[in-house]
Amino acid sequence: MKIGVLALQGAVREHLSILESVGVDPVPVKQPQDLDCLDGLVIPGGESTTISKLMHRYGLMEPIRQRGLAGMPIFGTCAGLILLAKELEGTDQSHLGLLDITVRRNAFGRQRESFEAHLQVKGVADNYEAVFIRAPLIIKTGPAVKVLSALDERIVIVQEGHLLGAAFHPELTEDSRLHRHFVEMVKQAASVNA
């Protein structure tokens, strides 16, 4: 099983490290051919506009979209969630448009308003530590989207089949339960396709 981490900008090293901690041998993804052997992909937090531009520059936007449409599990965190969304509020920024949600960027405030919270994540974790930095907010979900967690009634983790999105940075703590959940999603998808 191979899981990649989109390695253009953002918290790449942290995702690689936490995936290694749960027994995965992750690979950084910088070129379209890096996608060939993958069973799953993590799109990290960072600056979504910058990541989007780099995805176009390196020819990764359409290949990742096609792999997502074909059923490859993808986990988007913070900026990665923005890039996964079908709709972005108030911007025409290019994105993958895969996960049936509408997202508002920077909905929890600017960098200085960063905070930590403990979440209940349905079927995954109780008391999960989450780090919110310029976090987006999921303001609308499609009918097939499961809400896994909310913070004060604001949706912060969703799953739609093989797609997982978190509004925060799960790679910035030592709590690997959300990554373990994604690894299980990848294993299930691989067994279905075997």
Side-chain angles (χ1 to χ4, degrees):
M1 179 178 63
K2 284 283 186 189
I3 295 179
V5 177
L6 186 64
L8 301 177
Q9 191 261 350
V12 176
R13 184 178 60 236
E14 292 84 352
H15 275 294
L16 291 169
S17 177
I18 200 165
L19 285 167
E20 288 171 355
S21 78
V22 300
V24 172
D25 183 20
V27 292
V29 172
K30 296 180 179 179
Q31 303 290 334
Q33 58 268 30
D34 296 335
L35 296 167
D36 292 346
C37 62
L38 295 185
D39 300 300
L41 176 69
V42 175
I43 302 177
E47 215 311 300
S48 64
T49 303
T50 301
I51 296 173
S52 173
K53 288 178 179 175
L54 291 171
M55 288 171 74
H56 281 289
R57 180 180 301 171
Y58 291 100
L60 282 160
M61 184 66 80
E62 195 55 31
I64 291 175
R65 186 193 328 270
Q66 291 305 318
R67 290 296 306 272
L69 289 171
M72 179 178 75
I74 303 177
F75 181 16
T77 66
C78 197
L81 171 73
I82 295 170
L83 290 162
L84 268 184
K86 275 196 177 169
E87 300 287 338
L88 304 182
E89 183 186 65
T91 176
D92 58 358
Q93 174 187 314
S94 179
H95 55 290
L96 292 164
L98 293 169
L99 181 56
D100 192 8
I101 57 174
T102 302
V103 167
R104 179 182 300 152
R105 298 173 65 200
N106 299 326
F108 288 89
R110 308 303 297 177
Q111 187 92 16
R112 65 179 179 274
E113 295 160 313
S114 301
F115 63 97
E116 294 182 20
H118 288 85
L119 306 173
Q120 302 302 312
V121 187
K122 291 178 187 171
V124 178
D126 294 328
N127 202 30
Y128 184 88
E129 185 179 3
V131 178
F132 290 79
I133 303 171
R134 297 179 60 204
L137 177 64
I138 300 161
I139 59 174
K140 185 178 175 185
T141 61
V145 175
K146 294 180 185 174
V147 175
L148 299 188
S149 188
L151 177 64
D152 300 329
E153 300 185 5
R154 295 176 291 183
I155 300 169
V156 293
I157 307 177
V158 294
Q159 182 174 343
E160 182 183 13
H162 62 289
L163 304 172
L164 180 65
F168 52 90
H169 288 266
E171 75 283 6
L172 296 183
T173 72
E174 295 183 359
D175 193 331
S176 61
R177 290 177 288 178
L178 206 51
H179 284 80
R180 288 182 190 277
H181 176 66
F182 180 64
V183 170
E184 287 304 313
M185 289 171 58
V186 175
K187 287 179 180 175
Q188 289 176 11
S191 68
V192 168
N193 295 327

